[in-house]
Amino acid sequence: MKLIRYFLFCLASLPLFASAATVDATNPYTMMAIVSQTTFDRLKAEQGKIQANPDYLRTVVKEELLPYINTRYAAYKVLGPQLKKTTKEQRNDFVDAFTDYLVASYAQVLTQYTNQDIKIEPPKAIPADRTIVSVRIDIVDTKRPPIRLDFKLRKNKKTKEWQGFDMVAEGVSMISTKKSEWSGQLRTEGVDVVTQNLITLAAKPIRREASANE
């Protein structure tokens, strides 16, 4: 399960995002292909800087990944039925905290980057009325069987661009997992307590960990 979680929060998240200046987000398949290469190339090129200062990975995540994730939509999905019980200020605070938590989570697992390869599902025709799609990616590692990942993306009706909001590895959804993990506390202690917990978690320093191959 630890291995699945590693790919879910690290490698799985990479293909969802990239620099808006270089990626056409109107096609989720081509977007993911370009973003994957861009992100992995940067990680590979800046390993020296990352090894010296793992916290630098927060910058990489913010610049390469964050622009193409709909953090508000993802955060609202996690809040679930508790969303209706929050004020606008509470919602905004939760989204900000959830975003910082995601940045820290992605940065932490990226310390385990070991130059894995990815195989992206070929482009498919998307019906004009489709607003949610899943794109498959296989994580290829020479020391273990390929791992299948399915990424959920949502189409913005106004801009027609696609944004990632969830990822599924071995049948495990990130959104569903976090919703289940925090639902009890949200219900009994309220969104403000969970928001503060997320702020605390996000503030923890990024530390290099042994890779999955070490």
Side-chain angles (χ1 to χ4, degrees), residues 10-214:
C10 174
L11 299 175
S13 64
L14 295 180
L16 295 181
F17 324 102
S19 171
T22 59
V23 177
D24 178 9
T26 60
N27 186 299
Y29 295 97
T30 56
M31 181 186 77
M32 292 176 71
I34 296 173
V35 171
S36 299
Q37 192 63 55
T38 300
T39 305
F40 275 105
D41 284 351
R42 179 170 181 179
L43 289 172
K44 185 175 183 178
E46 299 190 341
Q47 274 302 298
K49 192 171 185 177
I50 292 168
Q51 294 298 322
N53 178 25
D55 239 70
Y56 175 69
L57 282 167
R58 294 181 194 265
T59 299
V60 176
V61 171
K62 289 177 180 178
E63 292 180 356
E64 302 295 343
L65 313 185
L66 207 56
Y68 276 71
I69 185 171
N70 192 332
T71 55
R72 180 169 295 275
Y73 183 77
Y76 283 6
K77 294 283 285 185
V78 170
L79 283 174
Q82 300 304 314
L83 176 64
K84 296 180 180 180
K85 301 179 181 180
T86 61
T87 65
K88 181 178 180 180
E89 182 178 4
Q90 286 177 318
R91 290 192 293 274
N92 289 338
D93 289 344
F94 182 82
V95 171
D96 289 343
F98 181 74
T99 299
D100 288 342
Y101 169 78
L102 287 183
V103 169
S105 297
Y106 296 149
Q108 182 58 54
V109 293
L110 283 176
T111 63
Q112 302 180 58
Y113 171 72
T114 56
N115 200 29
Q116 292 87 352
D117 293 324
I118 59 174
K119 182 179 179 181
I120 303 175
E121 178 181 4
K124 294 181 179 179
I126 303 173
D129 60 349
R130 181 74 59 83
T131 58
I132 301 290
V133 299
S134 291
V135 180
R136 173 178 176 175
I137 288 184
D138 291 307
I139 304 300
V140 182
D141 193 307
T142 58
K143 296 187 178 182
R144 60 176 57 87
I147 295 179
R148 174 174 174 168
L149 305 163
D150 293 282
F151 306 95
K152 291 186 177 181
L153 300 99
R154 179 173 179 264
K155 185 178 183 180
N156 185 306
K157 294 181 179 180
K158 293 182 179 180
T159 66
K160 308 302 181 184
E161 294 183 336
W162 293 85
Q163 295 176 300
F165 71 92
D166 193 15
M167 57 209 78
V168 180
E170 304 295 336
V172 180
S173 160
M174 186 199 77
I175 293 297
S176 296
T177 298
K178 290 305 168 185
K179 183 176 180 179
S180 176
E181 181 180 338
W182 298 332
S183 62
Q185 189 175 38
L186 282 167
R187 186 173 57 255
T188 59
E189 301 182 51
V191 66
D192 292 334
V193 171
V194 177
T195 297
Q196 288 302 314
N197 288 344
L198 290 177
I199 292 173
T200 299
L201 290 172
K204 291 183 177 181
I206 307 303
R207 302 184 184 281
R208 183 180 183 276
E209 297 180 355
S211 72
N213 293 331
E214 294 179 344

